[in-house]
Amino acid sequence: MRMTHLFTKTQKEPPKESESANARLLVQAGFVDQLMAGVYTYLPLGLKVLQRIQSIVREEMDAIGGQEILMPALLPAEPWKTTGRWKDPGPEVMFQFKGLGKRDVGLGWTHEEIVTPLVQKFAKSYKDFPVAVYQMQDKFRNELRAKSGILRGREFNMKDLYSFHTSVEDMEAYYDKVLEAYKRVFERCGIVAIPTEASGGAFSKVSHEFQTPTESGEDTIFVNKAGDYAWNKEMFPKMKDGDDAPDGSGPVKETKAIEVGNIFKLKNRFTDAFKFTFVDEKGKKQPVYMGCYGIGPSRVMGTIVEASHDERGMIWPKSVAPMPVQLVSLQSKDKTMQEKIENKSEALYEDFKKLGVEVLWDNRDMSIGEKLADADLIGLPLRLVVSEKTLKEDSVEWKLRAEKEMQLVKLQDVLEEVVTFVRE
Ligand code: ATP
Ligand code: MG
């Protein structure tokens, strides 16, 4: 993509009222635009990041047998009245209004009330189970505090997976499978996300959250010595830093963290409410067991920024970066040299395109300082600079955003080296 073609622009100054690093950097770099508190437009570069995260989530959900569907966001009140959630939590969380001729309707903030009767229509015999369906959709929540950029939206993207089983054992085995799939999702997104014991609600002792340790997190967790398991403070209000872990694995470390995912054993909470049963081998009706599993791709995007930035800007992991390479052509005062820089850059850009390597080409007529500052702000993994200095050596300058060192790479080798970098 040529930067002169990109309709968004970076902002020199951080936006006012940017309480968190993700809001400040994503807005300043032109990845998102705030419409109101907790509601954002995803601009070309930001949308690409969101879509890359969604693709990783989709691949891992498909790998554990999830079938993708898309349920509506505009929902009738009746099923929520059946489960009691039209009133509790009710409007505290759900946007509710009259529509369609005075009918009660609301916007989806989760989808148990829709997915349970949906699967019930099709799954009747033990032969029809297990069933796992998921969707990726915008959810709406009347969040009181929507102050952390895209970490806590009032409209935000969620992947919600629901599974249905004929026994508690099968539900638990699938829960463990999802837990492993979640580990792969977050690892592939380039963030640490520690499985964390949290309260399971009314129907199960524990649930698991996936928590990314960072100063800006709203939650407090206690991490085990190995750093691969944690307990949410909400569950152990009296625990302190350095206390013995509940599993006897040594002292825990207290840290702030962001919840990027959450998995729950719902058992019969919703299936009972809708009288969802199945017929077993003997022709007898039996209860259906259910689990639900969420990930917020938009919150994951904000979390990556919180966990991976410096004073100059964002540092995108290759797996989710909008594109892997930023090609920067620096200006020269010499007219012939300027033309040479432009021509070499354009030739490189076209070659990358042919090779299927996505490149953001800074071909704008701007100062060297502004261009380099923008490259750091946008934070693509690899920066290539073409300038008078590099062309004298028949080279381009190669620098990884996450590292300090730069090196010169010969023009004749750069395509191959970039292809290797992108694929490795
Ligand atoms: P929280 O405790 O942060 O309020 P939650 O426990 O209510 O979240 P779930 O209902 O389990 O969250 O939602 C599943 C996932 O959706 C969360 O793990 C998180 O990644 C994401 N999520 C939840 N609420 C928001 C929000 N307001 N904005 C962005 N992402 C969200
Ligand atoms: Mg939570």
Side-chain angles (χ1 to χ4, degrees), residues 112-130:
E112 285 82 1
E113 276 77 351
I114 312 305
V115 77
T116 308
L118 172 76
V119 174
Q120 186 178 20
K121 282 186 188 165
F122 301 99
K124 297 186 185 297
S125 141
Y126 68 95
K127 292 181 197 151
D128 300 326
F129 290 84

Side-chain angles (χ1 to χ4, degrees), residues 57-58 60-69 71 110-112 115 119 131-137 139 158-165 174-175 177-179 181-182 262-264 266 290-295:
V57 174
R58 182 173 283 120
E60 295 297 343
M61 294 303 102
D62 290 348
I64 54 170
Q67 300 179 56
E68 187 169 3
I69 59 174
M71 290 178 272
T110 182
H111 274 72
E112 285 82 1
V115 77
V119 174
V131 174
V133 293
Y134 73 96
Q135 65 172 349
M136 239 170 274
Q137 188 203 41
K139 295 276 190 277
M158 197 201 282
K159 182 284 301 174
D160 40 332
L161 167 73
Y162 305 89
S163 71
F164 299 84
H165 309 269
Y174 193 72
Y175 181 94
K177 237 177 158 174
V178 177
L179 193 132
Y182 271 36
N262 204 338
I263 60 180
F264 269 98
L266 295 170
M290 182 175 172
C292 76
Y293 322 86
I295 290 182

Side-chain angles (χ1 to χ4, degrees), residues 209 219 234 259 262 299:
E209 296 167 343
D219 288 11
E234 278 176 10
E259 177 201 312
N262 204 338
R299 183 180 288 182

Side-chain angles (χ1 to χ4, degrees), residues 141 143 151-153 156 158 259-262 294-296 299:
R141 289 187 187 182
E143 298 276 4
L151 294 180
R152 186 169 293 287
F156 61 95
M158 197 201 282
E259 177 201 312
V260 284
N262 204 338
I295 290 182
R299 183 180 288 182

Side-chain angles (χ1 to χ4, degrees), residues 35-56:
L35 185 61
M36 59 178 174
V39 181
Y40 287 85
T41 297
Y42 285 74
L43 299 167
L45 296 176
L47 183 60
K48 273 187 187 285
V49 176
L50 186 66
Q51 287 170 336
R52 293 205 199 284
I53 295 168
Q54 289 171 334
S55 299
I56 291 173

Side-chain angles (χ1 to χ4, degrees), residues 220-266:
T220 302
I221 60 167
F222 297 99
V223 185
N224 73 353
K225 227 173 138 196
D228 58 8
Y229 202 76
W231 293 266
N232 194 313
K233 191 180 175 86
E234 278 176 10
M235 260 198 124
F236 301 95
K238 292 207 179 100
M239 200 184 264
K240 298 187 307 301
D241 189 63
D243 279 359
D244 268 341
D247 62 359
S249 60
V252 293
K253 201 169 160 15
E254 180 174 338
T255 166
K256 291 271 175 208
I258 302 170
E259 177 201 312
V260 284
N262 204 338
I263 60 180
F264 269 98
K265 296 170 188 173
L266 295 170

